Amino acid sequence: MRVPIYEAIAHYKRNKELPYTEYFCLGFFSKLSLAEKALTDSKNLIGFSDLNDDSFSIITHYLNDCAHIGEDINYEIVNNKIYGVWYDYDLDTNYTSSGYMGVFSSLEYAEKALDWYKTWDIFKIHGLEYLGIDPITLNLRGWTEGFITVYD
């Protein structure tokens, strides 16, 4: 069974010479139309309104999409809560690579997936403290107040 979960994202690049792009998670949604609305609403906020349309996108994750959590999987979402397994490690002194490796319908599934992700070489190099689990409320938009940019 493939249950899509949609992550609305804005991406921002300070200038074209930099190799990195910053990502803002605008929320996780159970329906594509809700993720699209989050993008539309975010485009009117301070900071986000300066970005072009190509700076907004939707990533499709699939609930419980990790073979290492078991075979008999329950896809029920209780109280609009899911659990995201995230990574977040420094590329250099200015930039961090971060995102979600998977989303899960229960904390138990997220913990099983996290145990498997901990075996990956990249986290042996960067450290296991750069992995974790966040509870996520579906259909709740993030970044409702926008942002300002500060340059050195």
Side-chain angles (χ1 to χ4, degrees):
M1 177 178 214
R2 300 214 9 126
V3 177
I5 301 294
Y6 304 98
E7 181 183 11
I9 295 197
H11 12 108
Y12 161 76
K13 193 165 193 163
R14 188 165 105 182
N15 66 51
K16 291 182 186 222
E17 287 77 45
L18 292 175
Y20 310 116
T21 301
E22 295 181 52
Y23 290 86
F24 301 86
C25 175
L26 302 173
F28 287 84
F29 302 90
S30 59
K31 295 181 181 177
L32 182 58
S33 61
L34 295 174
E36 290 168 340
K37 180 165 179 9
L39 293 184
T40 300
D41 292 346
S42 296
K43 290 178 182 181
N44 295 319
L45 298 173
I46 294 171
F48 293 113
S49 62
D50 296 334
L51 303 177
N52 62 37
D53 284 343
D54 292 343
S55 296
F56 296 89
S57 61
I58 295 171
I59 297 174
T60 303
H61 300 274
Y62 291 95
L63 195 64
N64 301 326
D65 195 19
C66 178
H68 293 80
I69 64 174
E71 293 180 22
D72 187 25
I73 306 298
N74 181 349
Y75 290 90
E76 180 184 8
I77 297 171
V78 178
N79 295 328
N80 254 7
K81 293 280 187 201
I82 61 172
Y83 299 85
V85 175
W86 55 263
Y87 66 93
D88 185 6
Y89 56 87
D90 293 334
L91 296 170
D92 60 28
T93 58
N94 296 314
Y95 290 95
T96 299
S97 177
S98 62
Y100 285 90
M101 299 173 66
V103 292
F104 301 90
S105 61
S106 75
L107 181 57
E108 175 189 352
Y109 295 158
E111 289 170 341
K112 286 180 180 181
L114 180 64
D115 287 342
W116 180 63
Y117 294 137
K118 286 179 179 179
T119 67
W120 291 14
D121 288 343
I122 194 163
F123 299 112
K124 290 178 183 177
I125 293 167
H126 287 286
L128 298 178
E129 68 271 19
Y130 296 100
L131 281 169
I133 298 172
D134 276 339
I136 297 168
T137 301
L138 285 175
N139 307 324
L140 182 65
R141 190 167 62 99
W143 288 92
T144 58
E145 297 192 20
F147 70 96
I148 60 169
T149 56
V150 179
Y151 300 110
D152 298 333

